[in-house]
Amino acid sequence: VQLVESGGGLVQAGGSLRLSCSTSGLTFSDYTIGWFRQVPGKEREGVSLISVSSGHTYYADSVKGRFTVSSDNVKNTVYLQMNNLTPEDTAVYYCTAVKLLRPWVLTARTLRWELMDYSGQGTQVTVSS
C-alpha cells in the first residue's frame, strides 16, 4: 500500500492550495481517507475524513468552512482543497487510510491517528502572513 501526498507549498495568508493523496495497492472503495497535520513540537491534529464508498465527510472545527475534501474514484485519489489559509494552517500534512466497519459514521472519535492503517510521507504547507 502506498499513499503519496502532493500539492504542498508556500502561500500567502488568504490564499488557497489543493493537496492530493494518490493511493495504490489497496481497494480504494473499501477505505476512508483521512488528512492530518503536524507542526514540529506539537501534537498531530486530525483535519478531515472522507468515506470513499459513501461520500460521507467529516471536518475538524478548525478547518470547517474553509477546507473541502473530495475523492476521484477513477484515479484513486483524494483531494483536500484549502481556502482562506492562515499562518496557523502551516504544518506537514499527511494522508491516511483506514478500513472502517461503519464508514458512514465519521466523528471526532474516528479522526484519530492511532486508528489509521496506512499513512503517507507528508507534504509541507507554509502560509506566510
Side-chain angles (χ1 to χ4, degrees):
V1 174
Q2 198 170 21
L3 306 177
V4 180
E5 303 94 338
S6 62
L10 174 64
V11 64
Q12 288 189 329
S16 299
L17 281 175
R18 188 178 80 157
L19 305 183
S20 299
C21 173
S22 176
T23 73
S24 61
L26 52 75
T27 303
F28 190 59
S29 59
D30 286 349
Y31 283 82
T32 295
I33 305 298
W35 286 97
F36 291 78
R37 64 187 182 185
Q38 188 168 29
V39 177
K42 293 190 177 181
E43 281 192 20
R44 192 178 285 113
E45 177 189 9
V47 174
S48 179
L49 291 166
I50 182 166
S51 168
V52 173
S53 60
S54 69
H56 285 78
T57 60
Y58 177 83
Y59 298 94
D61 287 343
S62 58
V63 306
K64 201 174 295 183
R66 301 187 299 122
F67 290 12
T68 303
V69 64
S70 62
S71 69
D72 184 328
N73 294 12
V74 174
K75 295 182 178 179
N76 290 355
T77 298
V78 167
Y79 303 99
L80 184 68
Q81 178 66 44
M82 307 186 296
N83 297 330
N84 194 20
L85 286 161
T86 74
E88 289 68 38
D89 295 314
T90 295
V92 177
Y93 283 71
Y94 300 89
C95 73
T96 64
V98 59
K99 189 179 288 189
L100 298 175
L101 292 176
R102 300 188 299 169
W104 55 91
V105 179
L106 302 179
T107 68
R109 293 182 63 183
T110 319
L111 191 56
R112 291 186 291 156
W113 182 266
E114 57 268 28
L115 293 180
M116 301 296 124
D117 296 323
Y118 306 102
S119 63
Q121 294 299 308
T123 185
Q124 176 71 46
V125 171
T126 303
V127 184
S128 63
S129 57

